[in-house]
Amino acid sequence: MLESLLAVGGLVLLRDSVEWEGRSLLKALIKKSALCGEQVHILGCEVSEEEFREGFDSSINSQLVYHDLFRDPLNWSKTGEALPGGPLGVLRAMCRKTRPGSVTIALDSLSWLLLHLPCTALCQVLHALSHQDSRPGETPPSLLPLIHLPLPGDSSPAEHVRVLGLLHEELHGPGPMGTLSTLAQTEVTLSGTAGQASAHILYRRPQQRPTHETHWFSILPDFSLDLQGLSPVKSQPRPDPLTPPMDPATHLTFNLHLSKKEKEAKDNLTLPFQFSSEKQQALLCRGLGQATSHIFYEPDAYDDLDQEDPDDDLDI
């Protein structure tokens, strides 16, 4: 499961909820990337650096470049510890790297960034990160020493950039969720049943149909993954032109088609609001001695019978 998620670059959305948290899976992916020798940059927003590094051994922590936005994101304390340029400046600067190779950028969390930054600006930066759209001279010089990156003229584009974004989907409306889903190459939705976690993975590969996988797993204390089951890979069905289309009324609990006998009974049925020839003759040609109806009307004292001024009784 981890290998398949880390096999391609682009934006990987980890969608969690109140019942099923996703930070543990994010840390498992970070550990796997570090063990593969990749550069790992972490933008921490929701928890402290000490809490985030907890559970990693010293060899993993030594490979993580942590950018702390949790302690003082707006530099209110005036200690100079805040990151210059804010979250967007750091994300733009992450378009560069220190050495050739693959880069993993973990955003903890993407929900925090959505709540503090314009959605349009954030999506543009995410697109630039995941598609390697950085250009020389785009990174402000003040950010280069901060994240230990070379000068723009000396740096080369990353060979493989992967952005891991933790997203609390219950905090956002359909607009931001749909936009981020469009940008993502891989979406992981965490859920489960009876205390067992599952990850529904949607892959969007170029020039291929989207595929789905569902993994049942548990995360060990050292952030290793224990897979407990895998459902078969499913792709969106492709209609076969040689196969006749299936009747949509096949499995209904009621019948939409009538037999020949039922059609004859329906055609011979006279509806109550339809006038047949017999009813018309009965109404137009009354028989002898048949009683007729009359309406007798006696005007009241307050009835208005003046046709010239029908409103004279209103005392206007």
Side-chain angles (χ1 to χ4, degrees):
M1 172 181 170
L2 295 181
E3 290 78 4
S4 60
L5 289 176
L6 300 177
V8 295
L11 177 61
V12 179
L13 286 183
L14 304 178
R15 303 171 58 167
D16 67 353
S17 60
V18 175
E19 293 80 8
W20 305 97
E21 61 90 17
R23 185 167 288 111
S24 299
L25 180 59
L26 175 65
K27 297 175 73 171
L29 292 170
I30 290 173
K31 177 182 177 180
K32 185 66 176 179
S33 299
L35 292 177
C36 294
E38 297 183 1
Q39 303 177 62
V40 181
H41 291 265
I42 302 169
L43 186 62
C45 308
E46 287 189 348
V47 298
S48 64
E49 181 178 357
E50 294 77 13
E51 181 179 349
F52 190 88
R53 290 181 179 270
E54 186 178 356
F56 292 134
D57 55 26
S58 57
S59 61
I60 299 297
N61 278 321
S62 62
Q63 301 182 51
L64 305 182
V65 180
Y66 197 89
H67 310 281
D68 192 358
L69 280 176
F70 174 79
R71 183 174 302 176
D72 190 10
L74 301 178
N75 196 23
W76 285 352
S77 61
K78 303 299 181 181
T79 59
E81 296 180 357
L83 301 177
L88 282 179
V90 177
L91 288 174
R92 292 190 181 102
M94 285 182 180
C95 293
R96 301 297 176 182
K97 61 185 182 58
T98 57
R99 63 183 185 273
S102 300
V103 180
T104 295
I105 299 173
L107 307 179
D108 183 22
S109 71
L110 198 55
S111 293
W112 189 95
L113 296 174
L114 272 177
L115 296 176
H116 292 80
L117 298 174
C119 182
T120 304
L122 180 60
C123 290
Q124 289 174 352
V125 175
L126 290 176
H127 183 271
L129 284 173
S130 58
H131 292 80
Q132 305 176 15
D133 288 340
S134 59
R135 297 291 183 268
E138 184 177 283
T139 306
S142 58
L143 294 179
L144 297 177
L146 171 70
I147 54 178
H148 311 291
L149 299 177
L151 294 175
D154 299 332
S155 60
S156 58
E159 297 176 2
H160 191 77
V161 177
R162 182 186 308 106
V163 182
L164 305 175
L166 180 61
L167 185 64
H168 312 313
E169 58 181 0
E170 295 172 332
L171 300 180
H172 311 288
M177 293 295 296
T179 304
L180 291 174
S181 177
T182 304
L183 291 176
Q185 280 73 38
T186 306
E187 289 188 66
V188 182
T189 304
L190 298 176
S191 60
T193 179
Q196 190 176 14
S198 66
H200 179 77
I201 306 176
L202 170 61
Y203 297 100
R204 297 188 182 96
R205 296 182 175 90
Q207 299 179 354
Q208 294 184 18
R209 288 184 172 272
T211 57
H212 302 262
E213 288 181 1
T214 301
H215 295 262
W216 298 90
F217 68 96
S218 61
I219 298 178
L220 303 180
D222 62 345
F223 297 107
S224 299
L225 211 61
D226 181 19
L227 287 178
Q228 301 170 1
L230 169 65
S231 65
V233 179
K234 297 180 181 180
S235 60
Q236 293 183 352
R238 178 180 298 178
D240 188 358
L242 301 179
T243 304
M246 184 182 65
D247 187 3
T250 303
H251 302 289
L252 294 178
T253 57
F254 53 89
N255 188 16
L256 294 178
H257 304 286
L258 298 177
S259 62
K260 183 177 180 180
K261 185 177 181 181
E262 291 172 340
K263 288 181 179 180
E264 293 177 354
K266 177 184 175 182
D267 296 337
N268 295 330
L269 179 64
T270 302
L271 298 178
F273 54 82
Q274 291 180 342
F275 280 91
S276 61
S277 57
E278 292 80 3
K279 285 186 178 181
Q280 293 178 359
Q281 294 296 328
L283 292 175
L284 295 177
C285 303
R286 296 182 180 275
L288 296 177
Q290 186 176 2
T292 59
S293 299
H294 300 278
I295 298 177
F296 297 94
Y297 172 70
E298 184 176 354
D300 197 351
Y302 296 99
D303 286 347
D304 185 9
L305 301 179
D306 189 358
Q307 299 298 329
E308 296 181 358
D309 188 8
D311 298 330
D312 60 348
D313 58 335
L314 299 179
D315 297 331
I316 299 177

